[in-house]
Amino acid sequence: RATMTGEAFVAPTVSGRVVRRGQRAVAGRGVLRTPRARALMRRGRYGMCAAGVEVESGPAPGSEFFSAAGMTVEDFFERSLGDWRSQRSSHNLAFAHFEEIMSEISIEKVELGDEEVVEICGKYDVDPKTAAVSIRMSWEGTSDWDEDEVLKGSTVLVVTKDSEGSGKLLRSEGYAETIPAVGQWQMTADGTFSLLTPYEAAAAEERIWFATPDLRMRVSMIRTSSGRGVVTASMSSE
């Protein structure tokens, strides 16, 4: 979106450069990104000078683009702390049923010496001191399946690392079944937290990433224990 800033005509560009009043932007060369901005420059609305004038380097004011690329697992969970409003659409593929769930989620950091952290680490023979992250996640919500039923719960998550970009996630309560669970996580190059958690009767796959600093996206699937079929699929914005 092109804007006027003092004496400068500022337009975001593909390269992040600033185009100022009196400078020429050649349409079709990827300098001005929006059709309206290109049209304004072509019509001379803000004035133009001879071709070949170099635009100034540096990002246009307010044009910074958020990217989660390169995010570590510590960065991911640090950004996840706080209170979130979740909107989830769930599809039961077996019964062709659609469900909408609205939730309030609270995520807080838990000390490695916390009693619950020590207890869950003990179940999997993990030394709590070696954990990279430990948090408590609580949620409360409603479903359009039954508007009178309140969906609520709490779980402690403990993250351990096998390498810089992968490891295990220990839960006091699982995603697909309300029992303790351990999953394998991986941070992808684009900053997506990918998690696979096997259970006796099913397996849960989750991919979570930050679209902006204040918006998380989550895609989840519940697979059959054989891994050949998908029972439910859901998409959340938080």
Side-chain angles (χ1 to χ4, degrees):
R1 178 175 298 177
T3 58
M4 287 293 294
T5 306
E7 290 299 313
F9 170 70
V10 179
T13 68
V14 172
S15 63
R17 295 178 295 175
V18 175
V19 178
R20 297 190 179 279
R21 172 185 280 187
Q23 294 179 327
R24 182 179 179 87
V26 181
R29 294 193 181 176
V31 178
L32 290 178
R33 187 164 51 188
T34 64
R36 174 168 171 76
R38 290 197 297 269
L40 290 174
M41 292 296 285
R42 283 199 299 269
R43 290 201 298 267
R45 176 95 175 258
Y46 295 107
M48 301 170 69
C49 69
V53 174
E54 294 183 359
V55 296
E56 296 183 8
S57 60
S63 67
E64 293 81 3
F65 180 78
F66 173 81
S67 173
M71 184 178 289
T72 66
V73 71
E74 291 88 353
D75 294 335
F76 176 84
F77 280 98
E78 184 67 30
R79 284 189 175 275
S80 297
L81 298 177
D83 298 321
W84 300 84
R85 178 178 290 116
S86 173
Q87 297 177 295
R88 186 174 77 181
S89 299
S90 181
H91 302 253
N92 187 310
L93 304 182
F95 296 99
H97 190 91
F98 176 83
E99 181 184 16
E100 184 174 314
I101 301 171
M102 307 289 289
S103 304
E104 299 287 338
I105 300 173
S106 178
I107 302 176
E108 60 181 348
K109 187 176 294 186
V110 180
E111 296 298 326
L112 295 179
D114 183 89
E115 182 178 342
E116 287 186 84
V117 173
V118 173
E119 181 180 353
I120 191 172
C121 286
K123 290 179 180 179
Y124 299 101
D125 296 323
V126 173
D127 184 351
K129 296 179 181 179
T130 64
V133 178
S134 56
I135 64 168
R136 178 179 288 107
M137 182 169 67
S138 305
W139 62 90
E140 182 172 334
T142 57
S143 165
D144 62 354
W145 274 12
D146 185 352
E147 295 182 355
D148 295 328
E149 181 185 7
V150 176
L151 307 172
K152 62 186 304 183
S154 179
T155 185
V156 171
L157 309 179
V158 179
V159 178
T160 65
K161 299 168 74 172
D162 297 330
S163 67
E164 191 58 35
S166 65
K168 295 180 178 62
L169 179 70
L170 316 180
R171 303 188 194 214
S172 60
E173 182 176 316
Y175 178 78
E177 300 178 12
T178 56
I179 58 174
V182 56
Q184 294 285 337
W185 65 265
Q186 182 178 10
M187 290 297 300
T188 63
D190 63 0
T192 298
F193 180 80
S194 180
L195 179 67
L196 175 61
T197 308
Y199 300 92
E200 288 186 10
E205 287 187 30
E206 299 176 79
R207 292 179 177 85
I208 312 170
W209 69 95
F210 283 87
T212 74
D214 299 316
L215 175 64
R216 292 200 321 175
M217 311 299 293
R218 181 194 301 263
V219 177
S220 306
M221 290 187 296
I222 305 298
R223 291 185 177 272
T224 59
S225 56
S226 66
R228 290 179 293 182
V230 176
V231 180
T232 63
S234 67
M235 169 68 186
S236 306
S237 58
E238 302 169 350

